[in-house]
Amino acid sequence: MKSHIQATSYRLAAGVGLATALAFSGNAFGADPEVFKIGGVVSLSGTYGVFGDDMRKGVELAIEQRGGKVLGKPIQVAWEDDETKPQPAVQKTTRLIADGAQMIFGAVSSASSIAIMNIAKQRKIPHLVTMSADDKITLPGASRYTFRTSNTLGMEQRMALAYSKDQKLKRVYGVTADYQATRDSWEWYRKEAEKAGIEIVGADFPPLGNRDFSSIADKIARSNADGIALFMTGSDSITMVKQAGQVGLGKTRKIFGPVIADETMAAGVGPTSVGVNSGVRYHFTVDNAANKKFVEAYRKKYNEFPSSAAGEAFDGMAWWLDVVEKTGSWDREKWVEAFAGSVRENSLEGRKEMNACDHQARQDGLWGEVVAGKAPQPAYVMKIAKLYPPKEIFEDCKQ
Amino acid sequence: MSTIIIGLSLGMLLFLLASGLTLIFGMLGVINFAHGALYMLGAYLSFDIAHRTGSFALGVIVATVVVGLAGIAMERFALRPLYNRPHFYQLVLTFGFILVLTEAVKLFWGLGYKEAPMPALLSGSVDMFGSTIPVYRLFVIGFGAAAAIGLFAALERSTFGMLVRAASSDSEMVQTLGLPASTIRTAVFGFGAGLAGLAGAIAAPLFPIELGMGTNTIIDCFIVVILGGLGNIRGVVAAALLIGMVRAIGYTFMPSWVDVLTFAMLIATLLTRPQGLFSRPVRSA
C-alpha cells in the first residue's frame, strides 16, 4: 500500500513537473515574453570581420529609433562572432536559440548564412539575412523561415555583365575567390559573357583569404585583357586591387566585379581604388527622405557615414520589426506569413517588395565607381553611376 | 623571371617575420604565439606614423622600436616569472597576448581596413624580363637580404651575439660569471619582437592592414620555422626563400593548390626530417 502511494506521488510529481515545464516553455516562446530576444551572428573577425561591426551598428540604430521596443516589450540583442566560418556560426546560433532567441539575424558570409538557415528551418525560428548574397539562400521554397532584404549575387553579376557590355569590353580576365558562391557567380558570368561575344582570356581561383595576388596581377599584365572581372570581396578584393595598382593595371584596364568595392574596402586600397567599378548594396547618397533621415541619425550616433553593411542591416531590421509590430502577435508563424509578401515603400533604397515564393526582396540595383570623396565624406566614395530596375536584374520567381 | 622576383620578395618578407620567432625560440626556448599580433601592431604603428608625418622611414623606425619595447615589457613582467614552470604556461600566456594586442589595436584604430601609403621613392614599377615589377618588391628583396646579413653579423660576430649564444646554451654559467643573463634574455625577446614590428612596417604598403593580418601570416611563419629547424637562423633564411618560391610558382601556375602544396611540404618534412630541412638532429641556434 505504501509503495502504491509512493508510486502515485512520483507520478503526480512528474506530471506537475511536466506541466510546469510545458507552461514555462509556452511562456518563453508563446503569449507574452518579458523581452523580444534577437540573436545576432556576424563576423567580427576573419576575412569579413570588418562588416559585422557595421551591421551591429545598423541594427542597434533601427532598434533605438523605435524606442527599443516591439509589441510593447524591450528588444534585447545578443551578438556573437562567427569568425567568418560556418562551424562557429552553427555553434553560436544553436546556443542563442537555446537561450530563447525569437529570431536570428546574420550572418556575413554566405556559407555561415546557409548553415544558420538550416538550423532556423529545423527550429522554426525566423532568420533575417542582410548581407550574404549567395542565390541559394533564397531559392524558391528554400526555407519558410529565412528572408533576405539585401542584394543577391545574381543581381550583382547581371549588373557586372551589363557593365561589361556598356563598356564594350572585348577580352576579360577573371579572378574568383575559391568559394562556392563566387565560383557559381563567375561560371554564370563566363557563359553569358561568351554568349555576348566577350572572350575570356584567363581565369584564376585563388583560395579565400589569399595573401598575395602579385603573381596573378603579373599574369593579367602579360595578357591582352581589357577588363579584369573580380569575383571576390572583403580583404581578398582589397589585396587584389591594391596589388593590381602596384603594377598599374587600373590605368590600362577596367577593373570591376559584382561586389569588390565600397567605402570600407576603398579605404583599405587607397588611391589605386579610384576608377574601380562594383555593384553597391546600399549607399548613403541615395536621394530619398528615409535615407536622409537615417544618414543624419547614423552620423550623429557614430560620427561616420553608414557603410553598405550598416545601411542594409538597418533597413532589413527596421522592416522586420515593423512587420512584427503590425501582426500584434507573439506567434512566430504569423510573423513569417506577414513578412512574406510584405512591401516596404519607404526603404532606404526606395521600394522593396518581398517575394512570397523565395523570400527575396525585389529592389533596384545600384552600380557605382570609386571616386575621391569630398569632406566630410570619406576619402574614397562610391559614385552611383547607374540604377537598374528590378525587372532588369531579377528573374521571375517560380516555385 | 617575374615569378622568381615575386618569390624572392615573399620569401624575404617571411624571413623578416620568422627570424624574430626563431630567434626567441632558439635563445629562450619560448614559442611566441603573439608574434603575429606584434607584426600586426608594427603595421598599424607604421601606417599611423606615415599618415601623420608623411615619412615612411620614420614609421618603420617607430614601429620597430615601439614593438621591441612592448616585447621587452612582455618578457620582463609576464614571461620571466614563468620560465621555471611547464611550457604550457608560456603557450597560454603568449596566446593571451594575442587577445590583448588585438583588443588594444581595435581600441586605437577600430575595425576598418587601413592603407599605408607607398613611399614616393619606392612607388611605381619597372619592366624587367618582359614583366612589370613593382619597385617596392625589389626594395623588399634588398632590405630582407641586408637584414639577414646584419642579423648574422650581430649573432655571429658581435660581443652581444656571443653573450646571447652563451646565455642560451648555459644561462646559469653566464650568471655565475657575473654576466646579466636575465637582461640578455629580455634583450633577445625585445629584439625578436622588434623584428616582428619591422616586418609589419615593411609589409604594410603591400597588404591591407586589418586585425586578422597577424593570424593569416603567422601560419606561414610557423611553417618556415619548422622547415628551417626550430631556432636555426640559417635554416629560416633558406626555408623562407623556399616557401616564397613555392607560393610564387603556385600562384602563377595553380593558384587553388598553393595552400595544399605548402602544407604537403610541411607534412613531408615532419615525417622525414622532424628536426627541419636545414638542421641536424641536435637543435642548434
Side-chain angles (χ1 to χ4, degrees), chain B residues 73-283:
Chain B
M74 283 163 65
E75 199 280 341
R76 175 64 189 84
F77 299 109
L79 266 172
R80 194 184 288 184
L82 300 183
Y83 282 135
N84 294 326
R85 296 200 185 181
H87 270 75
F88 171 73
Y89 286 84
Q90 292 173 8
L91 298 183
V92 172
L93 180 76
T94 55
F95 186 77
F97 276 129
I98 297 175
L99 305 178
V100 171
L101 288 169
T102 304
E103 286 305 313
V105 166
K106 202 189 288 184
L107 189 70
F108 279 106
W109 290 288
L111 278 162
Y113 297 103
K114 306 292 176 200
E115 181 255 340
M118 186 72 79
L121 196 65
L122 303 172
S123 60
S125 55
V126 288
D127 290 329
M128 290 171 73
F129 311 107
S131 286
T132 308
I133 307 292
V135 172
Y136 196 80
R137 293 268 168 185
L138 300 174
F139 162 74
V140 167
I141 296 169
F143 189 88
I149 293 165
L151 198 56
F152 278 127
L155 290 174
E156 305 282 339
R157 299 277 181 266
S158 72
T159 310
F160 173 72
M162 188 181 68
L163 285 172
V164 165
R165 282 180 283 126
S168 71
S169 59
D170 194 338
S171 156
E172 284 181 14
M173 179 60 78
V174 168
Q175 195 87 47
T176 309
L177 290 171
L179 295 165
S182 295
T183 308
I184 293 168
R185 292 170 79 91
T186 306
V188 168
F189 198 95
F191 188 62
L195 282 172
L198 175 67
I202 296 294
L206 285 174
F207 306 107
I209 301 171
E210 52 166 334
L211 282 175
M213 66 185 292
T215 316
N216 294 339
T217 313
I218 199 70
I219 297 167
D220 276 355
C221 186
F222 272 109
I223 291 173
V224 164
V225 170
I226 292 166
L227 287 182
L230 291 166
N232 185 336
I233 290 285
R234 286 187 183 86
V236 161
V237 177
L241 291 175
L242 181 66
I243 290 289
M245 282 301 165
V246 166
R247 283 205 167 268
I249 292 166
Y251 287 138
T252 306
F253 299 106
M254 44 180 126
S256 49
W257 286 82
V258 167
D259 285 338
V260 177
L261 285 174
T262 311
F263 283 106
M265 188 185 289
L266 175 68
I267 292 165
T269 305
L270 286 171
L271 290 174
T272 54
R273 285 184 65 85
Q275 75 276 18
L277 288 175
F278 306 95
S279 276
R280 292 177 184 161
V282 177
R283 180 169 61 79

Side-chain angles (χ1 to χ4, degrees), chain A residues 213-222 240 243-244 247 249:
Chain A
F213 289 90
S214 46
S215 294
I216 294 173
D218 181 52
K219 281 160 74 178
I220 298 169
R222 284 189 278 126
M240 178 67 216
Q243 294 182 349
V247 288
L249 285 183

Side-chain angles (χ1 to χ4, degrees), chain A residues 35-39 63 68 74-78:
Chain A
V35 291
F36 181 85
K37 284 189 179 178
I38 297 173
I63 293 168
I75 301 168
Q76 192 181 80
V77 191

Side-chain angles (χ1 to χ4, degrees), chain A residues 19 97 184 195 229 260 303 320 342 366 374:
Chain A
I97 294 173
D184 291 347
K195 275 186 212 165
I260 58 165
N303 197 28
W320 171 262
S342 65
L366 308 175
K374 289 177 189 159

